[in-house]
Amino acid sequence: MNERIYLSPPHMNGREMAYIEKAFATNWIAPLGENIDAFEDAVKSYVKVPGALGVSSGTAAMHLALMYAGIKPGDVVLCSDVTFAASCNPIVYLDAEPAFIDCDRESWCMDPTLLTDALYEYKQAGRLPKAVVVVDLYGLPADYSRITDICAEFGVTLIEDAAEALGASYKGQMCGSFGEMGILSFNANKIITTSSGGMVLAHEERAVQKMKFWATQSREPMPYYEHKEIGYNYRLSNICAGIGRGQMETLDDYVAKRRDTYFRYARSFIDLPVCMNPVIDGATPNFWLSVMAFENSCGVSPGDVAEALARESIETRPFWKPMHMQPVYRDRRFFCDNHRAPAGEELFQSALCLPSGTAMSDNVQNRIIDIVRGCFPQKRTPAKSLAEVCP
């Protein structure tokens, strides 16, 4: 049996244990301690934002960000349709109404034109959304040249879900810094991990302090326990923060490795009827996952390739199933181009995520490439040059 190859397993660099052991030695195990402060400082310095708050998950970070944005029951929040449910579930936690915006084919992220259409429609109805949640899908930056201007024009809060995009940038600005608040995830499969955990980033210190208050059960500064607001047990532990602190020391190496993995796939599949994650002008993705999209009527499906790899104990994953297709969200508003099939639906049917872990060796990736290429009996003359695919 071949050793199992996972899609995006955690990759420890060996520096984490020193910080964990120090937490044990000083008995700072709970959500206080040097590791938390240092981890928050490292991330906000890297992303270049004034404030950062380490919490128990990216979902918790999103919940706090929406609370700070003033989301109340009945409010409308626009959200990227192609994403994981954690991007939009906290909207429902607050009894607000999510409405979903299809992706475009150029970035695989929220379509700015559809965003404008949705905001205009709601404004005409006298019910302007309170916030927009934009997801940097698979570490691909959204088109922020347009999206930030659109949100500013309509006066709605932009929250950037950069859970998959730490280390990516757009026109020299780091992902996680584009909205009034940014969301990061340090789940075990992300580009760096704290085993479980997340972070909310903000441009105002007062925002961080308020969210920190909510994240620590909204305890008032009294010698006894007093609560005037509902709070949550959302803070990151000092142990988990120690893992993240060590992981930050090799983040740039991990980003470079993911990029190398992506470009190796792109070069190897240039004569196949597939395309890899798109890159819009100005974007420098972290390529958290390398994704291949199959051309229509090419005779090979994502399922065919997934099965071939599974027989060799290699994990893959289908493209994210859009939120408007999820049973729990099927009755929510969905904005797409009515003249053609939704882009997210097409990608869900035609794309496959390939192993992209930073510890994956070249030999393992070459084995994956050989299996994928073996699924395509017919090759083609490349439509693009290697320089265009891998500039």
Side-chain angles (χ1 to χ4, degrees):
M1 290 290 292
N2 291 315
E3 183 179 353
R4 179 74 165 161
I5 304 302
Y6 292 98
L7 188 74
S8 182
H11 182 191
M12 298 294 101
N13 59 29
R15 305 181 189 183
E16 301 88 356
M17 283 306 300
Y19 297 116
I20 295 171
E21 289 171 354
K22 186 172 182 180
F24 273 91
T26 57
N27 206 34
W28 285 107
I29 307 299
L32 289 170
E34 178 185 336
N35 284 337
I36 294 176
D37 295 338
F39 183 40
E40 291 170 343
D41 287 344
V43 174
K44 70 184 182 183
S45 175
Y46 185 90
V47 180
K48 297 180 174 58
V49 292
L53 178 70
V55 291
S56 56
S57 67
T59 310
M62 180 64 73
H63 188 192
L64 293 170
L66 290 165
M67 288 176 62
Y68 191 77
I71 305 304
K72 298 291 191 297
D75 287 341
V76 175
V77 178
L78 303 181
C79 182
S80 294
D81 181 52
V82 181
T83 186
F84 179 55
S87 300
C88 53
N89 284 347
I91 300 170
V92 181
Y93 298 169
L94 297 169
D95 291 323
E97 298 182 14
F100 300 108
I101 310 292
D102 195 15
C103 66
D104 61 32
R105 290 164 177 80
E106 292 73 34
S107 70
W108 289 2
C109 298
M110 182 182 285
D111 187 323
T113 300
L114 294 175
L115 172 61
T116 301
D117 293 344
L119 287 168
Y120 182 77
E121 180 178 320
Y122 276 110
K123 184 176 181 178
Q124 289 294 100
R127 197 182 178 208
L128 194 65
K130 290 291 184 66
V132 175
V133 175
V134 177
V135 178
D136 299 322
L137 195 76
Y138 297 123
L140 307 172
D143 187 353
Y144 288 110
S145 289
R146 298 175 63 190
I147 289 173
T148 53
D149 287 347
I150 293 165
C151 290
E153 177 186 349
F154 284 88
V156 297
T157 298
L158 171 60
I159 298 174
E160 181 190 1
D161 185 343
E164 302 169 4
L166 180 61
S169 64
Y170 179 74
K171 295 187 176 179
Q173 183 175 339
M174 301 304 295
C175 287
S177 67
F178 285 96
E180 280 87 335
M181 285 159 287
I183 307 303
L184 299 176
S185 170
F186 306 119
N187 189 35
N189 65 358
K190 295 301 186 291
I191 198 158
I192 67 165
T193 185
T194 57
S195 75
S196 64
M199 194 168 285
V200 56
L201 307 173
H203 293 278
E204 297 181 352
E205 182 58 28
R206 65 179 180 178
V208 172
Q209 291 307 313
K210 184 62 178 180
M211 289 185 282
K212 185 176 183 178
F213 172 72
W214 287 327
T216 50
Q217 299 288 18
S218 296
R219 181 184 174 185
E220 297 292 335
M222 303 288 189
Y224 46 86
Y225 290 102
E226 181 159 331
H227 307 273
K228 298 178 182 178
E229 300 180 54
I230 296 296
Y232 304 88
N233 183 18
Y234 276 173
R235 279 293 262 157
L236 185 67
S237 83
N238 199 44
I239 298 296
C240 290
I243 300 173
R245 192 177 174 186
Q247 291 265 288
M248 281 297 295
E249 295 180 8
T250 49
L251 172 57
D252 284 339
D253 293 337
Y254 289 173
V255 172
K257 173 61 176 175
R258 299 260 179 173
R259 289 178 58 80
D260 287 347
T261 295
Y262 167 85
F263 287 125
R264 178 183 286 239
Y265 280 135
R267 287 191 297 268
S268 300
F269 300 151
I270 194 169
D271 61 340
L272 301 183
V274 302
C275 63
M276 300 298 294
N277 318 45
V279 181
I280 59 174
D281 288 345
T284 305
N286 69 0
F287 294 115
W288 170 59
L289 291 183
S290 291
V291 185
M292 60 189 303
F294 295 62
E295 293 180 2
N296 292 334
S297 304
C298 72
V300 180
S301 72
D304 295 333
V305 174
E307 289 176 11
L309 290 167
R311 286 194 292 270
E312 297 297 319
S313 200
I314 298 170
E315 182 184 26
T316 59
R317 179 189 292 165
F319 195 87
W320 289 123
K321 184 175 184 179
M323 288 300 103
H324 81 273
M325 298 176 69
Q326 300 289 349
V328 72
Y329 285 124
R330 280 180 181 159
D331 63 341
R332 306 293 183 168
R333 290 294 309 275
F334 170 54
F335 293 86
C336 65
D337 184 343
N338 294 322
H339 300 292
R340 60 184 300 174
E345 289 187 18
E346 289 184 347
L347 287 164
F348 172 58
Q349 297 295 333
S350 66
L352 183 70
C353 302
L354 298 174
S356 307
T358 51
M360 182 171 61
S361 69
D362 290 349
N363 286 339
V364 167
Q365 189 179 7
N366 288 339
R367 181 170 147 233
I368 294 167
I369 289 167
D370 288 343
I371 294 169
V372 172
R373 289 186 59 80
C375 295
F376 291 86
Q378 300 296 324
K379 308 298 188 290
R380 65 177 186 184
T381 300
K384 293 183 178 182
S385 68
L386 283 175
E388 290 176 298
V389 173
C390 305

